[in-house]
Amino acid sequence: MKILIYGNTGKACRNEWISNLETLLKAEKIEYDIISREDLQNEMSADALFILGGDGTILHLTEFASKNNIPIIGINAGKLGFLSEFEICETENALNSLIKGELKQDKRSTLSIEFNQKKYIALNDAVVQRIYTENEDGIISNIEIFIDGKAVDIVRGDGVIVSTPTGSTAYSLSAGGAILAPRINAHSITTISAHSLHHRPIIFSADSTCELLLKEGNIAGLFIDGKLVDTLKCGDRIKVSKSELFMTFYRKETSDFYDRLLSKLNVNFNRG
């Protein structure tokens, strides 16, 4: 068995967390490598990738894990930890469960985003959103939305979110979007602070292609899983489709999406 370890470099206790995991791996005589940001451009193989951090850390490794087809074990050392399966205090339990074959795989679809002759991979979402600068302080005007070449809406507001089922519980949810079950073959479109009462989330087949056209207005940013990757000007078009790559998570046998949803969203629900 071969294990990879990645820890959030922004966490003060990162070295301590990694050292504890190293001790456990050495005791089990399991081969492992600690990887850095620089390693994320390389091709690697492993039986599992332990990610110690929050949801942002996992999102940062989407392209690396999906392209190398390495299942992830998320160890939550952040705040929400919606994508993680284990808390930092459960690291030993996570490793033992992996060794015993007691974990199940949870396969999540990803987005392929094409813009400016570049292609990006997203686990959560692609967002076209206004950028606040000294010279650009107005709203974005007119983002036209196309599905399979057919115009379906024109949005005047702060932006548009195109999300996967996984991303439906992230920024899209905060903007009033619908929650999609993980295995549904669909994507969602959610507007951000639209200046109209008619806008509602659009759920469409993941086998379709969505395009966003910035028709007029101020400068906007293209954000992939929360990271600004490029800027847009009038006439720019973003193409969003289902990627051939998947992100695979290892989860507890008892893990349930709806239980996690209620727990992470702090919903007290009496099942009777």
Side-chain angles (χ1 to χ4, degrees):
M1 180 178 286
K2 172 69 176 292
I3 300 296
L4 298 180
I5 305 171
Y6 183 91
N8 185 341
T9 56
K11 299 292 184 180
C13 297
R14 172 183 180 272
N15 292 336
E16 179 184 345
W17 298 333
I18 291 179
S19 178
N20 290 339
L21 182 52
E22 279 189 282
T23 299
L24 296 172
L25 291 168
K26 289 176 180 177
E28 297 291 343
K29 298 181 179 179
I30 296 176
E31 181 184 358
Y32 70 91
D33 281 328
I34 301 170
I35 60 175
S36 64
R37 287 180 178 267
E38 290 71 25
D39 295 318
L40 301 184
Q41 305 301 319
N42 302 330
E43 291 185 6
M44 294 187 177
S45 61
D47 296 286
L49 166 60
F50 276 75
I51 299 180
L52 293 82
D55 287 348
T57 309
I58 291 177
L59 292 173
H60 182 67
L61 274 77
T62 295
E63 188 167 351
F64 171 80
S66 59
K67 284 187 174 181
N68 289 286
N69 195 28
I70 303 175
I72 281 176
I73 295 180
I75 306 294
N76 182 36
K79 296 178 181 178
L80 183 60
F82 200 93
L83 298 173
S84 301
E85 185 65 18
F86 298 89
E87 297 300 320
I88 195 69
C89 61
E90 297 179 296
T91 302
E92 184 172 1
N93 291 338
L95 178 59
N96 289 337
S97 296
L98 176 65
I99 294 171
K100 295 176 182 178
E102 296 175 347
L103 299 178
K104 63 181 180 181
Q105 290 194 355
D106 177 16
K107 211 171 187 180
R108 300 295 182 94
S109 61
T110 62
L111 293 176
S112 173
I113 302 100
E114 298 178 46
F115 174 67
N116 200 18
Q117 298 182 329
K118 295 179 182 178
K119 182 178 283 189
Y120 305 92
I121 301 297
L123 176 62
N124 271 0
D125 48 43
V127 180
V128 174
Q129 187 171 2
R130 65 183 291 191
I131 295 178
Y132 297 83
T133 68
E134 291 183 359
N135 299 322
E136 303 286 349
D137 58 359
I139 64 171
I140 297 173
S141 296
N142 295 355
I143 300 176
E144 192 162 3
I145 303 171
F146 299 84
I147 296 178
D148 291 336
K150 176 70 175 179
V152 297
D153 205 354
I154 297 179
V155 177
R156 179 179 173 85
D158 283 356
V160 173
I161 305 166
V162 182
S163 73
T164 63
T166 300
S168 71
T169 56
Y171 190 12
S172 177
L173 179 63
S174 299
I179 294 174
L180 304 183
R183 293 182 182 85
I184 193 170
N185 187 44
H187 294 154
S188 68
I189 298 171
T190 306
T191 59
I192 306 169
S193 301
H195 285 225
S196 171
L197 295 177
H198 91 270
H199 294 297
R200 293 295 183 269
I202 299 173
I203 311 301
F204 65 101
S205 171
D207 296 322
S208 293
T209 297
C210 173
E211 291 181 281
L212 305 177
L213 171 63
L214 184 60
K215 296 195 69 174
E216 58 178 309
N218 294 313
I219 187 171
L222 172 59
F223 296 81
I224 307 297
D225 281 346
K227 180 182 179 182
L228 177 64
V229 298
D230 215 328
T231 55
L232 294 81
K233 60 184 183 302
C234 291
D236 281 343
R237 186 183 294 258
I238 311 295
K239 180 180 178 181
V240 184
S241 58
K242 184 178 180 179
S243 170
E244 296 179 352
L245 301 176
F246 289 86
M247 187 89 155
T248 303
F249 292 83
Y250 269 127
R251 302 207 182 277
K252 303 171 185 175
E253 285 287 355
T254 57
S255 180
D256 179 82
F257 168 73
Y258 298 103
D259 286 342
R260 180 182 295 107
L261 185 67
L262 293 173
S263 173
K264 296 299 182 179
L265 298 183
N266 296 315
V267 177
N268 294 318
F269 181 67
N270 186 354
R271 296 181 183 275

